[in-house]
Amino acid sequence: MKLSSQTKRAISDNVATCSLLLTLALLIAICLLSYLSVNHFLRNNRDVTHTYQVMEKIRSVLSDLKDAETGQRGYLLTGDASYLQPYYAGKSALTHDMDALRALTRDNLSQQRRVDALQALAASKTAELDQTIALRQQAGAVAALRMVRSGNGKRTMDRAREIVARMRVEEERLLKLRTGATEKAGVMAQLVSVFGGLVSALFIVLAIRYVSKYLRERERSEAENLQLVESARLAAVQQRIFLKDVLASVTEGKLALCDTAEELPSPLPVFEETISLSANGALKALRHAAARAARVSGFTEDRVQDFVTSISEAAMNAVTHGGGGEAIVRADGGERVQVWVTDQGKGIAIDVLPQSTLERGYSSAGSLGHGFWLMLRMCDKVWLLTGPQGTTVILEQTESAQDAAWMRGDGRQSVAAFKTVGGSGNASLSDVKNLSIQIRTF
């Protein structure tokens, strides 16, 4: 089954839309995956940094105890109060560092237990240091050193070092795990970035190529459509030109088919005011006005009646086919009289124009179908401008009669000859002349 151009265009539009949406979805997925990979890497890196911070605080706590112990021993040996400065500094820093260490290990229950034990040992050690310093101040160096030699302070420090060592082992274990996880996350982030970038670039290139191809095909399709539309327009123009030539030829110039208002004749001066054909008594008023204008112009009574009959047919056509309209009588005060009849109907289709204007008895509204046939038979000149916006018919009568040979028949021969020449929609000037000669033999 062959698809129409419209269906092909719809399919192409849908495929292009789906391709762009798929590319966009893939880019979003790659961006999301890259974000997750980088976020995982950063989280592991923060864990590594946190481990180093814990290890630093463990070292600081032990260093604070050592500083306090060093200041105590210097004072015990010399009795110089200046040696107590490291002691006081170590005690002050110990409190701050223990609080920081507890905060840093709050996510690790085993380390929290060790922090509790270490804090108890630190409190015991500082109490022992305070006691020896007090003994040195009150009882002298011998009593203070005797207490130091008892070994309680050393045992406390040994247990503190043991706990610190365990805490370091735990943090080193965590550091190894976290470093490995960070390295893997970093490698994964790099792979996702590189692979995602390559895939994204590939899909973008493919999307650009497809969209470019789609746009070229669409432009070509639109150009073909425009060419078809232009060809149809030119064919319609040629058909109408042909129709105008044939109608003018077969009626010996009595019927002029117009394309624009500029092709209508120059209007004569107004003889009577405009008459609305939808008003009561409008046709009678129009006939009387036209008759007065014709008599004033010196027409014979036969010419007057012929003109009035033509005008009646034109007005009836406007009422029947155009839903009403209006008419105006014009005269030049000499030998010419015009009646302009206009309506706002849908106009006469070009494919029935020959029958509507030339064939006696043809009607598209169930009427007798003598309108144009009588107008052309009894009037000297008829101009016709018709289209979707309405129809304008201008009838012009002069003082002297102008009979046409083609009117001796009923018009069917004219239509048949028109169809013979115009069936293909393409006729030369010689065809039109031959048609005119053929009509004159009827």
Side-chain angles (χ1 to χ4, degrees):
M1 182 178 63
K2 187 176 181 180
L3 298 177
S4 64
S5 59
Q6 186 175 4
T7 303
K8 291 180 179 179
R9 184 184 304 173
I11 294 175
S12 298
D13 291 344
N14 292 333
V15 172
T17 302
C18 291
S19 300
L20 292 176
L21 291 177
L22 179 62
T23 302
L24 180 61
L26 181 63
L27 291 176
I28 292 175
I30 291 175
C31 290
L32 180 61
L33 186 60
S34 299
Y35 168 77
L36 294 176
S37 299
V38 172
N39 190 55
H40 183 59
F41 169 76
L42 294 176
R43 185 170 62 252
N44 288 330
N45 191 59
R46 286 194 297 270
D47 291 341
V48 170
T49 302
H50 176 268
T51 302
Y52 279 116
Q53 290 175 344
V54 173
M55 294 178 70
E56 177 62 23
K57 285 303 174 185
I58 294 172
R59 185 197 64 77
S60 296
V61 168
L62 186 60
S63 177
D64 294 338
L65 288 174
K66 289 179 180 180
D67 289 343
E69 188 179 48
T70 299
Q72 173 243 18
R73 289 179 179 177
Y75 176 70
L76 294 182
L77 293 174
T78 63
D80 187 352
S82 62
Y83 282 91
L84 291 177
Q85 184 177 357
Y87 165 74
Y88 290 121
K91 281 186 62 176
S92 176
L94 179 63
T95 301
H96 177 269
D97 289 337
M98 283 300 302
D99 291 341
L101 182 60
R102 182 176 295 279
L104 287 171
T105 57
R106 64 179 177 272
D107 60 338
N108 192 324
L109 184 59
S110 62
Q111 290 291 64
Q112 284 279 287
R113 294 195 187 100
R114 294 185 183 102
V115 170
D116 292 338
L118 182 60
Q119 189 167 24
L121 290 173
S124 175
K125 180 60 179 177
T126 54
E128 183 262 335
L129 295 177
D130 290 342
Q131 187 176 4
T132 55
I133 291 173
L135 282 175
R136 178 66 175 85
Q137 292 173 345
Q138 297 173 3
V142 176
L145 291 174
R146 187 182 304 116
M147 185 175 180
V148 172
R149 292 191 186 99
S150 66
N152 290 332
K154 182 179 181 302
R155 286 190 292 273
T156 300
M157 284 296 293
D158 289 342
R159 288 197 295 271
R161 288 188 178 92
E162 181 180 351
I163 292 175
V164 166
R166 291 177 183 173
M167 293 184 72
R168 283 178 176 172
V169 169
E170 174 65 13
E171 293 302 321
E172 287 173 356
R173 181 185 70 82
L174 293 175
L175 179 62
K176 184 177 180 181
L177 292 176
R178 291 169 178 173
T179 301
T182 301
E183 291 175 352
K184 290 180 181 179
V187 172
M188 181 59 67
Q190 291 178 349
L191 290 176
V192 169
S193 299
V194 174
F195 177 75
L198 292 176
V199 173
S200 299
L202 176 61
F203 269 82
I204 290 174
V205 170
L206 293 177
I208 290 175
R209 290 187 61 184
Y210 181 80
V211 171
S212 299
K213 180 181 177 182
Y214 162 75
L215 291 177
R216 288 194 300 270
E217 292 178 352
R218 189 177 182 88
E219 288 177 357
R220 183 168 58 252
S221 176
E222 290 178 353
E224 291 175 354
N225 290 338
L226 289 176
Q227 186 175 2
L228 291 175
V229 171
E230 181 64 16
S231 298
R233 187 189 68 81
L234 292 176
V237 170
Q238 292 174 357
Q239 182 183 10
R240 194 169 181 89
I241 292 173
F242 168 74
L243 178 59
K244 290 171 63 176
D245 292 341
V246 170
L247 290 177
S249 178
V250 298
T251 62
E252 298 180 359
K254 294 191 72 172
L255 176 59
L257 179 62
C258 303
D259 292 326
T260 63
E262 287 73 17
E263 297 180 27
L264 296 174
S266 300
L268 300 178
V270 176
F271 183 81
E272 292 278 352
E273 294 297 327
T274 302
I275 300 172
S276 175
L277 299 179
S278 58
N280 292 330
L283 294 179
K284 183 177 180 181
L286 176 60
R287 286 195 294 267
H288 288 174
R292 285 194 299 272
R295 291 188 180 104
V296 169
S297 299
F299 289 11
T300 64
E301 194 59 30
D302 288 341
R303 296 287 287 162
V304 171
Q305 294 305 318
D306 287 347
F307 192 42
V308 170
T309 301
S310 301
I311 293 167
S312 297
E313 293 298 328
M316 284 301 299
N317 280 348
V319 173
T320 303
H321 301 281
E326 59 184 25
I328 183 170
V329 179
R330 299 173 179 273
D332 61 359
E335 62 176 9
R336 288 194 304 161
V337 179
Q338 291 177 347
V339 174
W340 293 53
V341 180
T342 60
D343 65 60
Q344 308 300 319
K346 60 182 181 180
I348 305 173
I350 190 171
D351 56 338
V352 297
L353 261 174
Q355 294 95 323
S356 299
T357 55
L358 301 179
E359 184 176 337
R360 182 179 183 181
Y362 177 84
S363 175
S364 61
S367 59
L368 295 177
H370 293 172
F372 271 100
W373 190 87
L374 286 174
M375 290 182 225
L376 293 172
R377 184 177 185 86
M378 299 182 176
C379 198
D380 294 339
K381 183 77 175 181
V382 178
W383 287 269
L384 172 63
L385 174 62
T386 185
Q389 289 74 33
T391 299
T392 297
V393 177
I394 303 174
L395 301 102
E396 184 176 286
Q397 191 81 311
T398 59
E399 184 181 355
S400 57
Q402 299 178 13
D403 190 18
W406 73 275
M407 291 301 298
R408 295 169 192 156
D410 61 2
R412 290 186 178 88
Q413 298 94 333
S414 303
V415 176
F418 174 84
K419 290 179 178 178
T420 300
V421 177
S424 63
N426 185 17
S428 65
L429 182 58
S430 61
D431 293 329
V432 175
K433 290 180 178 178
N434 292 335
L435 175 61
S436 179
I437 295 171
Q438 181 180 356
I439 293 300
R440 293 191 184 99
T441 63
F442 293 158

